[in-house]
Amino acid sequence: MLPRIGISTGDLAGIGPEIIYRTLQDARILRFCTPVVYGTAATLFDDFPQDKHHPPLSFRQVREAADITAGKINAVTCWDEDFILTPGQPNEASGRAARLSLIAAANDLKTGLIDALVTAPISKENTQGAGFNFPGHTEFLAHHFSSNNDSLMFLVADDLRVATATGHIPLKDVPARLTSEVLTGKLRMLLHSLRQDFGIQKPRVAVLGLNPHAGENGLLGREEQDMVQPVIQQLLQEGHLVYGPYPADGFFGTRQYRQFDATLALYHDQGLIPFKTIAFERGVNFTAGLPVVRTSPDHGTAYSLAGKFSADPTSFREALYLACDLVRNRKAEQEAAAR
């Protein structure tokens, strides 16, 4: 059976509807998965600018995911009211629709009605409300699926893989939040994901330093000596191929990342700035450490592009394909473990 891939709409005032629409215009998608969009197709696409080179999309609108049909583009009704929406102008209605879509998809993912979730971009500020009081998708899904509220932001583009030990927190809070226990847990999560989700049985992982020049032997900070290096040594002694800490600038500048299966950055921008510089058009955000598969494009709502039918759907399309691959990889691992 083809994987059933849920799609949350994101903020309807952004480019979410467009990148979903343009991705699903490719009929070949139905060879790889059964798409399930969480939102009323009429609200999403009836007034959407049409691409004259492609026929309009046909959705099978259902009330619940139990009624979806393989070989069709499905849409699960998440609201009945009509929203007054203006592209590029987020409002309370577009934020509420983003919440309803995400929560409905997450609930169906939890009960097994869909096999994975691809999330279109939200405005973290505009989405706040009943059922969603989190800095972003990653934190919401960690809370929804994991008893310890933990997960790992993991960016993927072909063989470039970058994870972050801390996520959406102020930079001034990173040193206090980044303990030996946290770093060890994130590295174990990354190693497990590389084996389970990407089929790399003996992954090589690089760890970046927190300070400029990875602390310069304590001259520019001692976090590397006091915390990062002991964690790496512990994992090496256990037989894991974990190395570092490396100065972040030279590591990416010299393309040293190509020698590893993944890189762990210690804070958000340290990992995402080089990743998006190298692979912005095709990068995918994957939430590792969850019992379910969730991916998303690595860009935001792009309100300035909304309604112009000019947004690039490549990252969203790659997120959909990666979700399909991860579902199959996890299933294969489960079947191998059961033999």
Side-chain angles (χ1 to χ4, degrees):
M1 186 174 63
L2 293 177
R4 301 158 297 179
I5 308 298
I7 298 171
S8 63
T9 61
D11 194 314
L12 300 182
I15 62 172
E18 177 181 336
I19 58 177
I20 295 170
Y21 187 94
R22 296 185 71 182
T23 295
L24 297 182
Q25 278 183 325
D26 188 341
R28 292 173 296 181
I29 292 290
L30 295 176
R31 301 178 190 172
F32 301 98
C33 68
T34 298
V36 186
V37 180
Y38 280 79
T40 305
T43 302
L44 287 170
F45 303 115
D46 274 4
D47 298 324
F48 195 80
Q50 299 295 307
D51 182 348
K52 63 182 179 181
H53 300 295
H54 294 85
L57 283 178
S58 176
F59 286 82
R60 184 175 185 273
Q61 190 77 50
V62 297
R63 280 285 173 182
E64 53 187 37
D67 296 326
I68 64 176
T69 299
K72 301 287 185 182
I73 302 173
N74 299 267
V76 175
T77 300
C78 297
W79 56 77
D80 291 311
E81 65 269 36
D82 290 329
F83 292 138
I84 299 176
L85 297 170
T86 302
Q89 297 181 27
N91 56 26
E92 183 179 349
S94 68
R96 180 169 180 268
R99 290 197 305 275
L100 292 174
S101 175
L102 175 61
I103 292 169
N107 287 338
D108 284 351
L109 184 59
K110 198 169 192 176
T111 57
L113 289 174
I114 55 176
D115 301 304
L117 173 60
V118 182
T119 57
I122 60 172
S123 161
K124 295 173 177 58
E125 178 183 3
N126 196 42
T127 308
Q128 300 299 312
F132 190 95
N133 186 23
F134 301 89
H137 281 119
T138 303
E139 292 81 4
F140 165 76
L141 293 167
H143 173 79
H144 197 76
F145 288 100
S146 179
S147 59
N148 60 6
N149 296 339
D150 202 7
S151 64
L152 183 72
M153 184 184 295
F154 195 175
L155 285 300
V156 179
D158 302 322
D159 58 353
L160 171 62
R161 306 180 186 94
V162 179
T164 63
T166 57
H168 296 117
I169 62 173
L171 184 58
K172 65 181 179 61
D173 296 338
V174 169
R177 188 75 62 89
L178 194 62
T179 63
S180 297
E181 292 74 20
V182 166
L183 183 58
T184 301
K186 297 295 184 180
L187 279 166
R188 292 192 189 282
M189 203 178 297
L190 177 56
L191 290 163
H192 176 71
S193 179
L194 289 168
R195 291 190 295 267
Q196 171 187 251
D197 299 316
F198 297 92
I200 304 171
Q201 295 307 309
K202 197 66 175 177
R204 292 171 53 87
V205 172
V207 183
L208 302 182
L210 179 67
N211 298 295
H213 305 289
E216 199 73 72
N217 294 320
L219 180 65
L220 302 177
R222 292 197 54 84
E223 285 84 358
E224 287 78 11
Q225 291 176 308
D226 295 343
M227 186 262 295
V228 181
Q229 289 176 358
V231 168
I232 290 173
Q233 286 302 313
Q234 174 190 340
L235 291 171
L236 281 170
Q237 290 171 7
E238 295 177 8
H240 300 293
L241 304 180
V242 180
Y243 305 97
Y246 296 98
D249 54 353
F251 183 83
F252 287 103
T254 61
R255 294 174 173 78
Q256 196 172 1
Y257 61 85
R258 292 178 173 175
Q259 301 174 20
F260 300 91
D261 297 302
T263 301
L264 184 69
L266 299 190
Y267 56 92
H268 183 279
D269 283 12
Q270 185 187 55
L272 269 68
I273 288 174
F275 180 88
K276 291 188 176 185
T277 300
I278 296 167
F280 186 76
E281 293 84 3
R282 66 187 192 281
V284 176
N285 184 357
F286 164 50
T287 305
L290 298 179
V292 294
V293 171
R294 175 262 173 166
T295 64
S296 73
D298 72 345
H299 57 71
T301 52
Y303 291 125
S304 62
L305 297 178
K308 299 178 181 178
F309 214 79
S310 61
D312 187 344
T314 303
S315 181
F316 187 86
R317 185 184 302 117
E318 291 297 320
L320 186 63
Y321 285 141
L322 179 61
C324 295
D325 289 342
L326 296 178
V327 169
R328 285 191 290 267
N329 289 347
R330 288 194 179 188
K331 183 178 180 180
E333 192 206 38
Q334 291 169 357
E335 291 174 349
R339 288 198 292 267

